[in-house]
Amino acid sequence: MTELLHTVLLALAFLALLGVVFEEVIHINKAKVTLFLGTVSWLLMFIFPESEAGLVRIEEGLSESISEIAELWLFLVAAMTFVAYLNKKGLIQNLIYLFLPSRISEKMLLVLTGLFCFVFSSIADNITATLVSAALILSLNLEAKKTLRFAALVVFAVNSGGVALITGDVTTLMIFLSGHVGVLQLLYLSLPALIGVVALTLMLSFGLKGDVVIEKKITPIRRVDLIIAVVFLSTILLTIAFNALFHIPPMLTFLAGMSLMFLVARFFDDDNEDPIMDYIRVIEFETLLFFLGILLLVGMLKEIGVLESLVSLYEMMPPLLANYLMGVLSAGIDNVPLTAAVLKAGIEMSTQEWMGLTYAVGVGGSLLVIGSAAGIVMMSKIGALTFGRYVRFILPLLIAYTIGYAGAWVLGHWMF
């Protein structure tokens, strides 16, 4: 019965992936498919447990998965509410217009977009950086094919930017806390990560020949909007500081920032004309449901031991290749449980190889649009971006990932 159940559960996970891939063919929203199959998977595990002890493990596993999902959900709600408000009030567009000229070539615009995403995601979290970057792309009013290029670059650049900071990516923090790499060694990773972004930018720039005329429509900004913008930036900075100094979850700091935003609006009597609580209703709940379904499926795969079995790669091949493949696998399976499985396995690797793994699991999720939070958020914001259309960029993405991974290995070899 156990083997049969595992086979059925794997089939459900595969069906969920097919549902995402062929969303445009079957015309069923990916959030509905993943949520349904994710919940059914856990129902089956509860109905057909291996034993009483197995049932206890399933209950504990579900509690752990729900805790992780709730933390991500609450963080997304706070971040999306901030961005929804600032975007409607014109602050994001005004900021973009401040730094961009009235006329710029598409190639240069692509370069600036990649650099902006890389730097911004280094100081902010990936999800916030993606939300702001998506607003930037939509404001440019490019044709659909070019918009997809910019979206693919944003996902890769955002994931690359956070790989060298313990506050930028959860997997980086996990590997750092395990004692396998130090802060200085992580900071060095920003160099190969940037090289990967530059390589992808050059490849995606082929065929871009036109100019973009940016119609600057400056929106008048009220004092309350500026104060809320300051609250938003302060929340980002405090999230980084509090997490580094006191290990406070980013979700908690962002919820505090959002609540302060509500109080600021009430203090300025702005809450009557434009109720700020209404901005919670306009955030992308489809994205949240998609996250819920995906993470339920990943949690199920973790419970049946699929993730732990992937660690056997290190018994079959050298760490250099195994780490590279772990990054590729993280495009389809959440990188956090993958990294946790490697750390728990007690695999012996050099500092150079741990640096390679840090880059791989941090950036590898960019290969598929469902492989990272940045990709899922971008897919929800850019209507033209689907799984199938993103896959068209798989070759340049894989090349850029390989270049960045090779750079991390060479850097580690040179350092040690």
Side-chain angles (χ1 to χ4, degrees):
M1 176 62 73
T2 300
E3 292 183 2
L4 177 60
L5 177 61
H6 286 187
T7 302
V8 172
L9 294 175
L10 287 173
L12 291 178
F14 184 68
L15 284 175
L17 177 61
L18 291 180
V20 176
V21 173
F22 296 106
E23 179 184 12
E24 292 182 304
V25 177
I26 62 178
H27 301 294
I28 301 178
N29 187 282
K30 57 186 175 291
K32 298 175 182 177
V33 174
T34 55
L35 183 59
F36 173 72
L37 294 175
T39 51
V40 167
S41 297
W42 281 96
L43 287 172
L44 290 175
M45 286 196 293
F46 272 97
I47 294 172
F48 303 105
E50 298 178 9
S51 59
E52 287 295 328
L55 181 60
V56 173
R57 285 198 305 271
I58 292 171
E59 291 175 346
E60 292 174 349
L62 180 61
S63 297
E64 182 180 343
S65 293
I66 293 298
S67 176
E68 294 174 357
I69 293 168
E71 185 173 339
L72 180 60
W73 259 55
L74 293 172
F75 177 85
L76 277 170
V77 167
M80 287 180 168
T81 303
F82 264 119
V83 174
Y85 179 89
L86 297 175
N87 191 42
K88 184 177 180 181
K89 299 303 180 181
L91 272 83
I92 294 177
Q93 283 193 343
N94 285 2
L95 182 64
I96 294 170
Y97 295 151
L98 181 64
F99 291 100
L100 291 179
S102 299
R103 189 180 188 89
I104 186 174
S105 68
E106 292 175 344
K107 288 186 177 181
M108 182 54 66
L109 183 60
L110 190 70
V111 171
L112 293 178
T113 301
L115 291 176
F116 167 77
C117 294
F118 181 84
V119 174
F120 188 57
S121 66
S122 296
I123 60 175
D125 63 275
N126 289 0
I127 296 174
T128 305
T130 306
L131 288 169
V132 173
S133 301
L136 183 154
I137 293 174
L138 291 172
S139 70
L140 299 175
N141 297 318
L142 299 170
E143 59 182 85
K145 290 183 178 180
K146 295 177 181 178
T147 297
L148 294 178
R149 293 193 187 196
F150 277 78
L153 177 62
V154 166
V155 173
F156 189 87
V158 163
N159 286 327
S160 298
V163 76
L165 294 174
I166 59 175
T167 53
D169 192 274
V170 176
T171 54
T172 301
L173 177 62
M174 292 169 63
I175 296 173
F176 168 77
L177 292 177
S178 69
H180 294 298
V181 292
V183 173
L184 186 59
Q185 294 150 0
L186 289 175
L187 289 176
Y188 282 136
L189 278 180
S190 60
L191 179 58
L194 179 58
I195 292 174
V197 172
V198 172
L200 180 61
T201 304
L202 292 175
M203 287 184 282
L204 294 180
S205 66
F206 285 112
L208 295 179
K209 299 178 180 178
D211 291 338
V212 177
V213 177
I214 300 175
E215 298 179 4
K216 297 187 176 183
K217 299 177 181 178
I218 304 299
T219 304
I221 304 299
R222 303 169 304 165
R223 185 170 61 165
V224 61
D225 299 332
L226 285 175
I227 294 175
I228 289 177
V230 171
V231 171
F232 177 54
L233 293 176
S234 300
T235 300
I236 293 174
L237 296 175
L238 288 174
T239 297
I240 297 172
F242 286 171
N243 184 267
L245 296 175
F246 310 112
H247 303 288
I248 297 176
M251 168 270 300
L252 187 58
T253 308
F254 254 86
L255 285 177
M258 182 180 69
S259 62
L260 180 58
M261 175 177 68
F262 295 159
L263 293 173
V264 168
R266 183 67 186 89
F267 179 79
F268 281 88
D269 292 327
D270 189 56
D271 212 23
N272 296 324
E273 299 179 4
D274 185 19
I276 198 165
M277 295 287 285
D278 287 350
Y279 286 91
I280 295 180
R281 300 189 180 98
V282 302
I283 63 179
E284 298 286 344
F285 277 96
E286 177 186 326
T287 302
L288 298 176
L289 292 174
F290 184 41
F291 264 121
L292 175 57
I294 287 289
L295 293 178
L296 283 173
L297 287 166
V298 170
M300 174 270 292
L301 293 175
K302 180 181 178 182
E303 287 303 310
I304 64 176
V306 171
L307 301 185
E308 284 76 5
S309 64
L310 294 176
V311 178
S312 61
L313 286 174
Y314 289 89
E315 300 174 0
M316 302 165 55
M317 58 190 68
L320 174 65
L321 182 57
N323 287 338
Y324 178 86
L325 291 178
M326 290 297 284
V328 175
L329 289 172
S330 71
I333 302 174
D334 190 86
N335 59 358
V336 173
L338 271 181
T339 305
V342 175
L343 292 173
K344 290 178 181 178
I347 297 171
E348 294 292 334
M349 290 194 291
S350 65
T351 303
Q352 172 191 8
E353 290 162 345
W354 282 110
M355 288 176 64
L357 178 66
T358 304
Y359 176 87
V361 294
V363 181
S366 309
L367 298 177
L368 295 178
V369 74
I370 62 170
S372 66
I376 294 175
V377 171
M378 183 61 72
M379 186 163 50
S380 73
K381 304 299 289 185
I382 307 295
L385 183 63
T386 62
F387 184 94
R389 289 172 181 165
Y390 190 89
V391 168
R392 298 174 188 173
F393 301 103
I394 187 66
L395 182 57
L397 286 167
L398 184 60
I399 292 173
Y401 165 72
T402 303
I403 291 173
Y405 181 79
W409 185 85
V410 171
L411 181 66
H413 183 72
W414 173 74
M415 288 176 58
F416 304 99

